[in-house]
Each structure stands twice: as structure tokens, then as C-alpha cells.
Amino acid sequence: MSTKAHTPKQEAASSTKMLRAMLGIGIISAFLIVSAFELTRPRVERLQAEALEKAVFNVLPGTESIRAFGINAQGELVDKATGENTEYTCYAGYDQNENLVGYAVEAAGQGYADIIRILYGYDPKEQVVIGFQVLESKETPGLGDKIEKDQRFLDNFKALDVGVTPEGKLKNNVITVKQGEKQNPWEIDGITGATISSRAIGNIIGASTSAVVPMLHGQSPPKLETEPKDKPVESNE
């Protein structure tokens, strides 16, 4: 009788110990995860910055140096170093003579599986997109990821027309058409078997160029800021 009377108390004590142990393990696990994240974050951010810089050089052929800008609500280019809140981010590329090659513009939109982040190069002088690269994508391997690997698809972005009217709007919106049906320089020849993903790229670039290109086209080419050279020491002789 006495043994049976103490059984519920023993079970309650065991349950309490188990809950405490689980709580302790959870706290330790959370601490380890946060610690690992904080320790690896600087390296991850550095690698991401290096990958982005490499992508800028890729989408702006002939670029030797770059400078980051934001576009504010008034459509003005603002140096990112100022810390001002901006609507869009872009990177100005300059050749070896410090002449503007063009702008690399970040954009993103919904793909088949998830959000696709891209970077494209814009030449304001010729009013064309001159380069394209996927920065982040989770599209289906072997199908959707052809937007990153299919050279015929990538060739769409060597001279994609994004001309601007005198009123400051795109003459024609960029769109994706079925593979083999491209007839105009502002159309993107799609990928059979990856229709949704290739159409998503057209939607992303179409929306971005409609908003950003007219603003960039109307800007005076920003000068590349270089480190001031040391002044020569004046002689008293």
C-alpha cells in the first residue's frame, strides 16, 4: 500500500528532472548556435562581398574599378558611404581611364521555387543591358538552374534594349518569349523546360529596368573618387 502511495510522487519528480534536462539542453544548444553564427558571420559577409564584387566586374565588361551608389526617393544617385536610406542599390563601373562603363543593378523577384536575386549591367550610353548574373537562386537543379548555365539564354543580356523615351520612360518593357520566338531586341528568348524560371527573369529585369533605368539614364556620369595624391614638398631654395 505504501509503495503504491509514493509512486505518483516519484513519477512527478522524474518528469520534473526530465523537463529541466531538456530545458538545459535547449539553452546550451541555442547558445552554441548563436555563438557559431556570430563567429562565422564576418567570414560569410566577407565572402558575400567578394562574390558580389566579382559579379559586378562580370556584368560590366571592361570595368577596372567600382563605386557603390544608392538611388533615393527623388531618383538621385547617393554615395552609399553617406548612410542615407535609398530605394535601390547600384554599382558604377569605370575603365582604366576612369570613364564610366555602366551601372550594375541589383534586383529580385519570385521564381518557381523561391526568390531569385540577380545583378545586371546597364550601359547608359548605348541604352542596353550588357551583362547578367544570378546572385541567389533555389530553382530546380537541371531545369530551373539553366538560367545560370544556359549560354544561349545568357546571350540575351549582351545587348538587351532598354531605350528611354524623351519623356523618361522605357520605350518597350522587357519580356520573356517562348524559345525560338524572339523577334525584338527588348525580348528575352526563354528556355524550354524552364519556362517559369526564365519568365521570372524577364519579370524581374522588366520591373527593375522600368523603375531604375530612366533614373540612371537621366544622371550625369558620376566621377570616380580617387585618393588625393600627396602634395609635393615646396623647397625654400
Side-chain angles (χ1 to χ4, degrees):
M1 293 291 292
S2 60
T3 302
K4 290 182 180 180
H6 287 288
T7 298
K9 294 183 179 180
Q10 292 175 349
E11 291 179 350
S14 298
S15 298
T16 301
K17 289 180 179 179
M18 184 178 296
L19 288 173
R20 288 177 178 174
M22 291 176 64
L23 180 60
I25 293 172
I27 293 173
I28 293 172
S29 298
F31 174 76
L32 292 174
I33 291 172
V34 172
S35 298
F37 174 77
E38 291 298 329
L39 289 172
T40 58
R41 183 169 61 176
R43 183 171 185 273
V44 171
E45 291 177 347
R46 177 174 57 81
L47 292 175
Q48 289 176 337
E50 291 175 355
L52 178 59
E53 182 179 20
K54 184 178 180 181
V56 172
F57 284 106
N58 181 49
V59 302
L60 292 176
T63 293
E64 295 291 332
S65 54
I66 60 177
R67 182 180 168 196
F69 287 94
I71 303 176
N72 62 21
Q74 290 72 44
E76 303 167 331
L77 280 176
V78 179
D79 196 315
K80 291 292 286 185
T82 64
E84 181 179 337
N85 291 331
T86 54
E87 300 289 319
Y88 306 96
T89 299
C90 66
Y91 305 87
Y94 304 85
D95 63 17
Q96 60 183 358
N97 297 317
E98 299 184 2
N99 296 315
L100 182 70
V101 174
Y103 300 97
V105 183
E106 291 187 64
Q110 182 63 49
Y112 175 75
D114 204 342
I115 298 298
I116 301 174
R117 290 181 57 243
I118 69 166
L119 188 77
Y120 65 88
Y122 166 62
D123 180 348
K125 184 178 180 181
E126 299 297 328
Q127 299 187 48
V128 293
V129 169
I130 56 175
F132 162 82
Q133 183 171 322
V134 175
L135 298 177
E136 184 179 344
S137 171
K138 297 179 181 178
E139 299 301 273
T140 307
L143 293 173
D145 64 353
K146 289 181 179 180
I147 59 175
E148 305 176 54
K149 304 173 182 178
D150 190 318
Q151 189 57 51
R152 183 196 56 78
F153 180 73
L154 297 177
D155 287 343
N156 282 294
F157 310 101
K158 291 183 176 180
L160 184 67
D161 180 26
V162 286
V164 179
T165 68
E167 294 75 30
K169 296 182 179 181
L170 284 192
K171 294 178 181 177
N172 301 283
N173 290 329
V174 173
I175 59 171
T176 301
V177 298
K178 291 183 179 180
Q179 184 172 335
E181 295 185 5
K182 178 174 179 175
Q183 296 181 346
N184 300 297
W186 61 84
E187 295 174 339
I188 298 173
D189 199 11
I191 305 173
T192 300
T195 306
I196 297 177
S197 299
S198 56
R199 186 182 296 125
I201 296 301
N203 293 339
I204 294 169
I205 293 184
S208 179
T209 53
S210 294
V212 177
V213 163
M215 291 187 285
L216 292 177
H217 178 69
Q219 300 281 345
S220 298
K223 298 293 183 181
L224 177 63
E225 291 185 354
T226 56
E227 293 293 330
K229 296 181 179 179
D230 294 335
K231 294 182 179 179
V233 178
E234 296 182 0
S235 175
N236 293 326
E237 297 181 359

